[in-house]
């Protein structure tokens, strides 16, 4: 089963990939919608322009037909010349075709209901006008000049013509308004598409950049995961080697103990000496296990750790004073700290306070600070009558102690005074 952290990382990657896909899809869809909307607006403008042109032509033809027919009627009445009837006949022929074209465009695509009403008004007024003109011409042809004159001088013809032109003018105004509205809508779509397309382009580029960033992050995360696996394998190998080495050291202690006891088997007088040696070897074994952090619960008490490390060297001639509060060390902390204590004890036996008569060692520890900044200060103090002066160079033991302190993210400080040596270690130990 994958660890929760890996599952969370994979979940975030899937979410990021989905986000990039969604943003890119949204950008493309918005772009298509904008382009489609602009195309529709321009198509509607062209269709409206064509419709308006045809309607305007039909309206002008109706007006021209009525005007020519009326002109022919007036000329024929004044001169009685049949040639004037040609203008009348032209208007009478043009009128129905123009009305048919107008009706066809209005019925085909009714945009304004008022146009339907005006179409009926134009047809009615036009029919009235041509009926009036036809009646007058028939009266002239029948010789009823006075009757024709009275009909011409009446307001019927003039009012019919005015009403027809009013309807034509209103229809033309409505159609021009529809065309202007279509033009405005198309222009608005054109003005709007550029910034919106720019925004969509930025959104698409942003999603692509996010996708690239996520790809780089995923590659980096995979490299880190691979490195972490390599480190874990190396740590496992190191742990295995450490366990094997620890096992062999313990076996070596057991072999030494067996040799000591076998040596005293045939020499009863040497038994007290061999028992003492065996006890020291057991103490060394206990100290070794303590430095490996092998208490029952996996942790080590500071006091127990110090006592086990120093047990092989303690005697009436090698006294030690231990004091400090109860502190529990993890196995990670106990191992390097045990190595430092073991090195200090060995140096004390070989060169320091325990190498002389009357030498004394005092060990104490205390907490400094509070909260996350709290530290554990461990002091090792040696006093003797004739302390050994420093050699002036750092040996392997010194480097080992400094390295162990750094491993615990702490500090190691050693000073030499007139009556002996003092060592202070400070280790982070948050509350």
């Amino acid at each position: 089963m994958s660890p929760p952290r890996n599952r969370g990382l994979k979940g975030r990657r899937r979410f990021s990939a989905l986000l990039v896909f969604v943003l890119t899809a949204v950008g493309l869809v918005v772009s298509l919608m904008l382009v489609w909307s602009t195309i529709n607006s321009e198509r509607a403008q062209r269709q409206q322009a064509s419709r308006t042109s045809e309607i305007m032509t039909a309206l002008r033809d109706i007006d021209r037909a009525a005007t020519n027919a009326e002109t022919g009627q007036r000329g024929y009445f004044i001169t009685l010349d049949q040639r004037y009837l040609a203008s009348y006949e032209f208007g009478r022929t043009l009128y129905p075709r123009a009305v048919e074209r107008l009706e066809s465009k209005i019925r085909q695509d009714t945009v304004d209901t008022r146009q339907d009403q005006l179409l009926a008004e134009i047809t009615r007024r036009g029919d009235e006008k041509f009926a009036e003109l036809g009646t007058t011409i028939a009266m002239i042809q029948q010789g009823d000049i006075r009757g024709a004159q009275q009909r011409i001088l009446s307001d019927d013809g003039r009012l019919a013509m005015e009403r027809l032109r009013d309807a034509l003018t209103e229809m033309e105004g409505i159609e021009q308004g529809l065309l202007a509205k279509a033009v405005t809508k198309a222009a608005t779509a054109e003005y709007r598409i550029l910034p919106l397309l720019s925004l969509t382009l930025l959104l698409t580029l942003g999603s692509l950049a996010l996708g690239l960033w996520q790809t780089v992050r995923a590659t980096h995360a995979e490299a880190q995961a691979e490195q972490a696996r390599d480190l874990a394998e190396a740590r496992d190998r190191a742990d295995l080697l450490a366990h094997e080495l620890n096992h062999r050291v313990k076996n070596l202690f057991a072999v030494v103990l067996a040799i000591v006891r076998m040596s005293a088997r045939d020499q009863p007088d040497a038994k007290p000496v061999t028992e003492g040696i065996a006890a020291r070897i057991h103490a060394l074994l206990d100290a070794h296990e303590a430095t490996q952090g092998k208490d029952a619960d996996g942790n080590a008490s500071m006091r127990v750790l110090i006592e086990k490390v120093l047990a092989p060297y303690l005697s009436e001639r090698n006294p030690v004073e231990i004091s400090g509060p109860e502190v529990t060390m993890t196995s990670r902390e106990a191992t390097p700290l045990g190595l430092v204590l073991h090195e200090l004890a060995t140096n004390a036996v070989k060169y320091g306070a325990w190498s002389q008569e009357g030498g004394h060692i005092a060990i104490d520890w205390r907490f400094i600070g509070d909260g996350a900044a709290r530290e554990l200060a461990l002091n090792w103090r040696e006093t003797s009558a004739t302390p050994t002066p420093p050699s002036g160079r750092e040996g392997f033991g010194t480097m080992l102690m400094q390295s162990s302190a750094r491993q615990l993210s702490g500090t190691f400080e050693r000073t030499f005074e007139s009556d002996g040596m003092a060592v202070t270690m400070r280790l982070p130990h948050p509350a």
Side-chain angles (χ1 to χ4, degrees), residues 132-150:
E132 181 265 332
L133 293 175
T135 300
T136 303
I137 290 174
M139 293 175 67
I140 295 172
Q141 290 175 341
Q142 294 172 4
D144 188 4
I145 303 300
R146 183 176 295 277
Q149 181 181 15
Q150 290 178 354

Side-chain angles (χ1 to χ4, degrees), residues 332 375-376 401-413 424-429:
R332 174 183 171 277
E375 292 181 327
L376 177 65
M401 289 186 286
Q402 291 176 343
S403 175
S404 297
R406 286 194 299 270
Q407 183 179 347
L408 296 174
S409 302
T411 60
F412 175 87
E413 183 181 0
T424 300
M425 284 188 66
R426 287 195 173 187
L427 311 175
H429 204 282

Side-chain angles (χ1 to χ4, degrees), residues 7 9-19:
R7 291 199 298 270
L9 181 61
K10 292 180 180 179
R12 289 194 295 272
R13 289 178 185 173
R14 286 195 293 266
F15 175 76
S16 300
L18 180 61
L19 179 61

Side-chain angles (χ1 to χ4, degrees), residues 62 65-67 69-70 73-74 88 92 95-96 99 118-137 151-152 154-167:
I62 291 174
T67 301
E70 188 178 54
Q73 179 227 36
R74 296 292 191 270
Y88 166 75
R92 192 164 66 92
Y95 170 72
V99 171
L118 289 174
L119 176 61
E121 179 74 11
I122 289 170
T123 303
R124 185 171 65 255
R125 298 304 178 184
D127 291 346
E128 290 178 357
K129 180 61 180 176
F130 276 93
E132 181 265 332
L133 293 175
T135 300
T136 303
I137 290 174
R151 189 167 184 80
I152 291 174
S154 67
D155 288 337
D156 294 341
R158 180 181 61 81
L159 291 176
M161 193 65 175
E162 288 179 356
R163 290 167 181 167
L164 175 61
R165 284 178 173 167
D166 288 342

Side-chain angles (χ1 to χ4, degrees), residues 48 51 56 63 98 118 138 145 186 234 238 249 311 326 333 337 348 358 369 377:
Q48 183 62 44
R51 166 195 159 94
M56 297 290 285
D63 182 73
L118 289 174
I145 303 300
V249 169
E326 181 63 29
E333 297 169 330
L337 184 58

